[in-house]
Amino acid sequence: MSDPTPPGPVLRPARTADVARVALLERDLFGPDAWSEEQVGAELSVPGRAMLVAEDPTDRSAVVGYAVLSVQGDVADLLRIGVDPTQRRTGIASALLAHLRGAARGAGAERMLLEVSDANTGAAAFYAARGFAEIHRRPRYYRDGSAALVLQLTL
Ligand SMILES: CC(C)(COP(=O)(O)OP(=O)(O)OC[C@H]1O[C@@H](n2cnc3c(N)ncnc32)[C@H](O)[C@@H]1OP(=O)(O)O)[C@@H](O)C(=O)NCCC(=O)NCCS
């Protein structure tokens, strides 16, 4: 009998060859706030950073998601998480986050923090579904006038 469950994403640490693709996703997902290719490349060598990519399991040459984590002491900051719009709601961001939660705990972090615009309802719903709670709100923080929500997950 065949298994009806589709294969999950294949996760691995980002490497130099992924920089251009991640920068392209950045531009598509974050527009004027996107990291440039140089900034993405620099992230690969910052101490305390982890950059993870998700490959499409049916086409391992295609990077369909990525996430960047910074761990300092007992705090982990989720700096970025993004998924190709054609691949959303298939569990890719959840898989990236689950892996980074484990990495953060392993590095000694006790909580994970992030900032998200209150206008980004999709991401806010994702974080709520994954157990993040709002601990602070910064009004008119982003250039579109939206507030920044500071969310926390206890690890
Ligand atoms: C937020 C984002 C990373 C989620 O990625 P994803 O791979 O689609 O997320 P998952 O498939 O793992 O979603 C898991 C759960 O989160 C919630 N969720 C995710 N996206 C959602 C949306 N747009 N609306 C409502 N709930 C959502 C759901 O509960 C979902 O489970 P379900 O599909 O069974 O209902 C993705 O939408 C994205 O890349 N957005 C643009 C970049 C961005 O805003 N990043 C965050 C910046 S702080």
Side-chain angles (χ1 to χ4, degrees):
M1 208 169 76
S2 64
D3 181 355
T5 309
V10 178
L11 306 184
R12 62 168 172 79
R15 40 189 186 238
T16 305
D18 300 313
V19 167
R21 170 64 179 148
V22 171
L24 202 62
L25 285 168
E26 272 282 313
R27 205 191 60 195
D28 288 351
L29 304 183
F30 297 106
D33 297 317
W35 287 346
S36 67
E37 201 167 316
E38 289 70 27
Q39 286 171 298
V40 174
E43 288 294 316
L44 287 178
S45 52
V46 177
R49 288 282 207 282
M51 189 187 298
L52 205 61
V53 295
E55 295 173 345
D56 181 342
T58 63
D59 175 7
R60 299 280 305 270
S61 67
V63 166
V64 291
Y66 66 103
V68 184
L69 184 78
S70 165
V71 182
Q72 286 179 7
D74 63 355
V75 176
D77 287 290
L78 185 64
L79 302 180
R80 282 298 203 253
I81 188 162
V83 173
D84 186 317
T86 66
Q87 307 278 336
R88 299 232 176 116
R89 306 298 285 267
T90 63
I92 293 171
S94 298
L96 287 163
L97 180 62
H99 188 97
L100 289 179
R101 280 182 73 159
R105 268 198 304 264
E110 291 170 5
R111 57 203 181 109
M112 189 180 288
L113 297 175
L114 63 86
E115 280 173 10
V116 62
S117 161
D118 69 348
N120 191 346
T121 52
F126 166 72
Y127 293 128
R130 300 274 77 86
F132 282 85
E134 181 180 332
I135 57 166
H136 190 57
R137 184 177 285 249
R138 299 187 175 118
R140 296 176 299 283
Y141 184 78
Y142 293 105
R143 63 183 91 197
D144 65 359
S146 63
L149 311 180
V150 181
L151 306 185
Q152 174 174 277
L153 179 72
T154 302
L155 296 172

